[in-house]
Amino acid sequence: MSDLLQNIFVADPWVGYYNLGRFSSFALTSDVDWAPDYCIEDVLTLVSKFNFFLSVFATHRSPILLAASDRVEVGLHPDFTRPHPEHGIRRKILDLLDVYPDAKGVRAHRNFFGQNIAQLAVEAGLTYDASVFHWGRPFCQIERDQYGLVRMSYCWEDGIQADYGLPWELRHVPLATPGLKILNVHPIFIYLNCPNDSYRRQVTRHVSDLTQLNYADAKSQIYQGYGARDFLIDLLGHLSASGAQSYNLSTLASAGESK
């Protein structure tokens, strides 16, 4: 079967990242979603213990991200569902680029992305987008669109596993099937060790600006049972034990340039 798959994807410049013979590569990402810095730092610390690369998509200025190690790349996470009142969606990209001028990639909040946004992203100098989400699907891939933007799909995230009401078990992370393996987590969800999304909503329901969520209040409401943070630690350990190679999304995007 692996030989057949190799023949099918022989012309794909990213075939080496599709785990066709065995699970050998993955990418970790995190959508900040206006989480306060202590939540972002928690995710960065957990991932750094395994020396993995991490691609973080930022919604706002974060001193933690601005000072992050070179194993953390920062992309943009604009909310196009709420356009700038005067400049529309273009300003959403440019404002975040002012904060993170080295950003190469974008993942739209709630994956609200289309051809017009792709064109604006390329005009702004971005090279890749990771807004395509295919929950649990095998054969996730990378492609280059008509604007030259590298588009890549991801297959798992913590919030969607919670939305499905699935238990926090590794079997729900689709690592055994062929395809690109990009995994995504959210700092507030991880920090609170949420057992489900209702718990996150309960803790943050009175907070109008999540970036200002009081540290003492949040810490006092960390879920004490087995939750999303515990699961992430187990997942990171599983990924480490597998021997698979970690990549950031910029590396994946640029890999197609030399093929």
Side-chain angles (χ1 to χ4, degrees), residues 7-239:
N7 289 333
I8 291 173
F9 292 103
V10 67
D12 191 319
W14 289 282
V15 64
Y17 301 96
Y18 291 170
N19 298 285
L20 298 184
R22 62 182 180 84
F23 176 55
S24 59
S25 66
F26 65 94
L28 297 172
T29 70
S30 181
D31 296 346
V32 168
D33 285 4
W34 300 275
D37 261 10
Y38 58 85
C39 296
I40 300 172
E41 184 176 27
D42 186 43
V43 170
L44 267 57
T45 299
L46 289 176
V47 174
S48 69
K49 289 178 180 178
F50 293 88
N51 206 32
F52 292 151
F53 289 100
L54 178 66
S55 298
V56 181
F57 294 96
T59 49
H60 61 284
R61 177 183 290 274
S62 162
I64 289 294
L65 291 181
L66 289 169
S69 76
D70 58 6
R71 298 188 77 82
V72 177
E73 76 154 326
V74 182
L76 312 181
H77 196 52
D79 184 1
F80 296 122
T81 68
R82 300 178 183 179
H84 188 282
E86 181 180 355
H87 303 289
I89 59 177
R90 182 189 302 272
R91 192 70 250 168
K92 292 284 185 172
I93 295 174
L94 297 179
D95 284 349
L96 282 173
L97 266 178
D98 286 344
V99 180
Y100 303 102
D102 295 329
K104 300 299 181 186
V106 59
R107 175 184 283 149
H109 182 57
R110 302 189 68 83
N111 297 325
F112 190 89
F113 202 90
Q115 291 186 27
N116 56 337
I117 299 175
Q119 187 172 9
L120 292 173
V122 171
E123 291 173 356
L126 300 177
T127 60
Y128 76 84
D129 165 68
S131 301
V132 179
F133 183 47
H134 292 143
W135 166 258
R137 185 179 298 183
F139 296 111
C140 286
Q141 296 172 240
I142 307 177
E143 62 178 312
R144 192 182 305 278
D145 71 12
Q146 67 268 40
Y147 305 109
L149 189 69
V150 174
R151 307 288 303 277
M152 55 187 79
S153 58
Y154 62 111
C155 62
W156 179 87
E157 73 170 35
D158 51 2
I160 300 301
Q161 177 148 337
D163 285 347
Y164 273 110
L166 298 170
W168 295 108
E169 298 173 357
L170 290 171
R171 62 189 176 92
H172 296 299
V173 184
L175 302 179
T177 55
L180 190 67
K181 303 302 177 185
I182 300 176
L183 316 174
N184 188 48
V185 297
H186 298 82
I188 189 68
F189 208 73
I190 297 302
Y191 182 81
L192 293 173
N193 195 35
C194 294
N196 51 55
D197 199 47
S198 295
Y199 189 84
R200 176 191 64 84
R201 293 177 184 276
Q202 174 186 332
V203 173
T204 62
R205 68 184 184 279
H206 298 306
V207 182
S208 58
D209 181 356
L210 191 59
T211 65
Q212 301 303 309
L213 179 63
N214 181 269
Y215 171 73
D217 290 344
K219 186 177 181 180
S220 70
Q221 297 188 76
I222 292 173
Y223 182 67
Q224 296 304 304
Y226 189 90
R229 188 177 190 275
D230 298 317
F231 180 74
L232 176 59
I233 293 171
D234 287 345
L235 175 59
L236 293 172
H238 179 76
L239 293 170

